[in-house]
Amino acid sequence: MSLMKCNQYLRHVELCRERIQSFSEYPYCLPAIKDLSILEFHDKVTFIVGENGTGKSTILEGIAVAYGFNPEGGTRNFNFSTNDTHSDLHKNLKLVKGVKRPNDGFFLRAESFYNMATNIDNTGASGSYGGISLHSQSHGESFLSVIRNRFSGHGLYILDEPEAALSPSRQMSLLVFMDELIKQGSQFIIATHSPIIMAYPDSIVYELNDGIKEVNYKDTQHYKITKAFLENPERMLKTLLFEE
């Protein structure tokens, strides 16, 4: 076992395929989950990318819940429930951990951020999140406030589509915060559509399509499509809008 694998908090996740009663039922019918056997994690950052509906958030949620996080986000101590909509994937995942345990951890997801922020207000815990209600800030600023004020380093941080709340410049700010936390011994697992966020250099990128495979950053569909559009938006718009 390499030193890197010993020192990271999560080494890999395995799908316990023998427990699955039917691969024709959701979420096991998704090609990426049908194809899932063992997913190795990078000791710093692991990205899970792909089109809508490929199972990024489902896999990330399964990993987070299997680790003990609340399905709607927060720390492992959060036990509120607003919408019980998560799948049972977590019951059929085996997480293989490293020898070290994190001192901190957080599951941050854009989809249920409002519910999490409300729970923080209701429990009087806003002091740990910058001292003011997350609801009194813009969506993007409140998102960054959680990372800036609540993430303390030496932690496992699972982020689901953080770009949903962030402008391009704030996505760059997120990269800076991530790098500071990684230098403090943290590990990130992130589902994202953002070519900016997934550009973090010391990472693994898994792309979900007809299955799941490791890819280079510049070989992802998100990077290629964004690059093609920005290099010639007029031509792309003519193609999309069927203009002569």
Side-chain angles (χ1 to χ4, degrees):
M1 184 187 302
S2 69
L3 181 61
M4 181 188 78
K5 290 296 184 185
C6 286
N7 286 341
Q8 67 191 90
Y9 305 122
L10 278 182
R11 293 170 51 203
H12 66 260
V13 61
E14 301 177 15
L15 179 64
C16 302
R17 303 181 68 86
E18 69 281 358
R19 299 182 191 171
I20 312 302
Q21 294 184 357
S22 173
F23 278 93
S24 63
E25 297 180 0
Y26 183 85
Y28 308 102
C29 59
L30 296 172
I33 296 179
K34 278 186 177 181
D35 191 46
L36 180 61
S37 178
I38 296 178
L39 195 67
E40 299 278 352
F41 297 123
H42 195 281
D43 64 318
K44 295 179 180 177
V45 186
T46 301
F47 290 110
I48 303 174
V49 308
E51 284 298 328
N52 295 329
T54 53
K56 298 184 309 302
S57 294
T58 301
I59 291 175
L60 198 76
E61 175 190 85
I63 293 167
V65 176
Y67 195 80
F69 289 111
N70 187 295
E72 294 184 62
T75 70
R76 296 178 72 180
N77 294 324
F78 279 48
N79 57 13
F80 73 96
S81 179
T82 306
N83 291 300
D84 188 12
T85 59
H86 60 287
S87 74
D88 68 351
L89 178 62
H90 64 282
K91 298 178 181 179
N92 297 313
L93 294 178
K94 177 184 177 183
L95 299 181
V96 177
K97 304 175 183 179
V99 296
K100 294 199 308 181
R101 296 182 63 183
N103 295 332
D104 190 32
F106 210 95
F107 179 31
L108 189 60
R109 61 185 316 180
E111 179 181 323
S112 53
F113 185 82
Y114 181 93
N115 301 337
M116 187 197 73
T118 299
N119 179 258
I120 290 170
D121 280 355
N122 291 342
T123 56
S126 60
S128 299
Y129 296 83
I132 59 175
S133 170
L134 295 173
H135 285 311
S136 69
Q137 306 170 57
S138 72
H139 193 191
E141 289 304 313
S142 61
F143 224 77
L144 287 181
S145 181
V146 172
I147 296 169
R148 183 169 51 241
N149 295 298
R150 179 56 187 79
F151 291 18
S152 61
H154 298 282
L156 173 66
Y157 303 114
I158 301 177
L159 312 183
D160 186 20
E161 298 186 2
E163 72 278 3
L166 303 177
S167 69
S169 64
R170 290 295 186 263
Q171 292 177 39
M172 294 179 191
S173 297
L174 174 59
L175 287 176
V176 175
F177 293 141
M178 284 173 52
D179 190 57
E180 291 173 353
L181 289 161
I182 288 163
K183 288 174 180 175
Q184 297 170 21
S186 298
Q187 182 182 11
F188 282 82
I189 304 172
I190 304 174
T192 183
H193 294 287
S194 169
I196 294 175
I197 295 173
M198 71 177 75
Y200 190 85
D202 206 352
S203 63
I204 290 175
V205 181
Y206 291 109
E207 187 170 60
L208 279 57
N209 195 348
D210 294 332
I212 183 167
K213 63 178 180 179
E214 182 180 346
V215 296
N216 293 322
Y217 164 62
K218 291 186 177 181
D219 291 330
T220 63
Q221 287 298 309
H222 294 320
Y223 176 88
K224 290 178 179 179
I225 292 171
T226 303
K227 181 174 183 288
F229 187 92
L230 293 177
E231 285 183 342
N232 198 330
E234 293 83 8
R235 183 180 65 185
M236 186 70 80
L237 286 169
K238 284 183 179 180
T239 301
L240 292 171
L241 304 179
F242 304 104
E243 295 182 359
E244 294 295 334

